mmCIF file of all heavy atoms in Angstrom:
data_model
loop_
_atom_site.group_PDB
_atom_site.id
_atom_site.type_symbol
_atom_site.label_atom_id
_atom_site.label_comp_id
_atom_site.label_asym_id
_atom_site.label_seq_id
_atom_site.Cartn_x
_atom_site.Cartn_y
_atom_site.Cartn_z
ATOM 1 N N LEU A 151 217.167 182.893 325.479
ATOM 2 C CA LEU A 151 218.512 183.094 324.928
ATOM 3 C C LEU A 151 218.885 181.908 324.037
ATOM 4 O O LEU A 151 219.677 181.050 324.397
ATOM 5 C CB LEU A 151 219.531 183.265 326.060
ATOM 6 C CG LEU A 151 219.571 184.627 326.744
ATOM 7 C CD1 LEU A 151 220.614 184.641 327.847
ATOM 8 C CD2 LEU A 151 219.869 185.743 325.746
ATOM 9 N N THR A 152 218.303 181.875 322.855
ATOM 10 C CA THR A 152 218.650 180.846 321.876
ATOM 11 C C THR A 152 219.995 181.187 321.234
ATOM 12 O O THR A 152 220.497 182.312 321.363
ATOM 13 C CB THR A 152 217.577 180.758 320.798
ATOM 14 O OG1 THR A 152 217.493 182.021 320.118
ATOM 15 C CG2 THR A 152 216.228 180.413 321.401
ATOM 16 N N SER A 153 220.570 180.230 320.531
ATOM 17 C CA SER A 153 221.859 180.449 319.865
ATOM 18 C C SER A 153 221.770 181.600 318.860
ATOM 19 O O SER A 153 222.698 182.404 318.735
ATOM 20 C CB SER A 153 222.312 179.173 319.156
ATOM 21 O OG SER A 153 222.513 178.129 320.072
ATOM 22 N N THR A 154 220.643 181.689 318.165
ATOM 23 C CA THR A 154 220.451 182.761 317.182
ATOM 24 C C THR A 154 220.432 184.121 317.857
ATOM 25 O O THR A 154 221.066 185.073 317.386
ATOM 26 C CB THR A 154 219.131 182.550 316.414
ATOM 27 O OG1 THR A 154 219.144 181.263 315.794
ATOM 28 C CG2 THR A 154 218.949 183.620 315.355
ATOM 29 N N ARG A 155 219.728 184.214 318.986
ATOM 30 C CA ARG A 155 219.657 185.492 319.705
ATOM 31 C C ARG A 155 221.021 185.865 320.289
ATOM 32 O O ARG A 155 221.411 187.040 320.273
ATOM 33 C CB ARG A 155 218.618 185.408 320.824
ATOM 34 C CG ARG A 155 217.195 185.466 320.302
ATOM 35 C CD ARG A 155 216.201 185.779 321.394
ATOM 36 N NE ARG A 155 214.857 185.878 320.840
ATOM 37 C CZ ARG A 155 213.821 185.169 321.256
ATOM 38 N NH1 ARG A 155 213.975 184.285 322.222
ATOM 39 N NH2 ARG A 155 212.628 185.337 320.722
ATOM 40 N N VAL A 156 221.736 184.884 320.810
ATOM 41 C CA VAL A 156 223.081 185.150 321.343
ATOM 42 C C VAL A 156 223.986 185.689 320.238
ATOM 43 O O VAL A 156 224.741 186.647 320.446
ATOM 44 C CB VAL A 156 223.681 183.871 321.962
ATOM 45 C CG1 VAL A 156 225.162 184.069 322.280
ATOM 46 C CG2 VAL A 156 222.934 183.494 323.237
ATOM 47 N N THR A 157 223.922 185.093 319.052
ATOM 48 C CA THR A 157 224.720 185.553 317.917
ATOM 49 C C THR A 157 224.359 186.984 317.539
ATOM 50 O O THR A 157 225.242 187.819 317.285
ATOM 51 C CB THR A 157 224.514 184.629 316.702
ATOM 52 O OG1 THR A 157 224.863 183.286 317.065
ATOM 53 C CG2 THR A 157 225.369 185.069 315.528
ATOM 54 N N LYS A 158 223.068 187.275 317.499
ATOM 55 C CA LYS A 158 222.612 188.631 317.154
ATOM 56 C C LYS A 158 223.064 189.646 318.201
ATOM 57 O O LYS A 158 223.481 190.758 317.866
ATOM 58 C CB LYS A 158 221.094 188.655 317.023
ATOM 59 C CG LYS A 158 220.572 187.939 315.779
ATOM 60 C CD LYS A 158 219.056 187.991 315.717
ATOM 61 C CE LYS A 158 218.530 187.296 314.461
ATOM 62 N NZ LYS A 158 217.038 187.299 314.405
ATOM 63 N N ILE A 159 222.979 189.266 319.477
ATOM 64 C CA ILE A 159 223.425 190.159 320.556
ATOM 65 C C ILE A 159 224.912 190.434 320.422
ATOM 66 O O ILE A 159 225.359 191.590 320.514
ATOM 67 C CB ILE A 159 223.101 189.550 321.935
ATOM 68 C CG1 ILE A 159 221.587 189.533 322.185
ATOM 69 C CG2 ILE A 159 223.811 190.325 323.059
ATOM 70 C CD1 ILE A 159 221.178 188.741 323.404
ATOM 71 N N GLY A 160 225.702 189.378 320.210
ATOM 72 C CA GLY A 160 227.143 189.546 320.057
ATOM 73 C C GLY A 160 227.486 190.421 318.873
ATOM 74 O O GLY A 160 228.350 191.307 318.968
ATOM 75 N N PHE A 161 226.812 190.209 317.743
ATOM 76 C CA PHE A 161 227.075 191.012 316.543
ATOM 77 C C PHE A 161 226.688 192.464 316.764
ATOM 78 O O PHE A 161 227.430 193.383 316.378
ATOM 79 C CB PHE A 161 226.309 190.435 315.350
ATOM 80 C CG PHE A 161 226.478 191.232 314.086
ATOM 81 C CD1 PHE A 161 227.643 191.123 313.335
ATOM 82 C CD2 PHE A 161 225.478 192.100 313.665
ATOM 83 C CE1 PHE A 161 227.803 191.872 312.171
ATOM 84 C CE2 PHE A 161 225.630 192.850 312.512
ATOM 85 C CZ PHE A 161 226.795 192.735 311.753
#
Side-chain angles (χ1 to χ4, degrees):
L151 282 179
T152 61
S153 298
T154 303
R155 285 196 178 124
V156 169
T157 302
K158 289 180 179 178
I159 291 170
F161 178 77

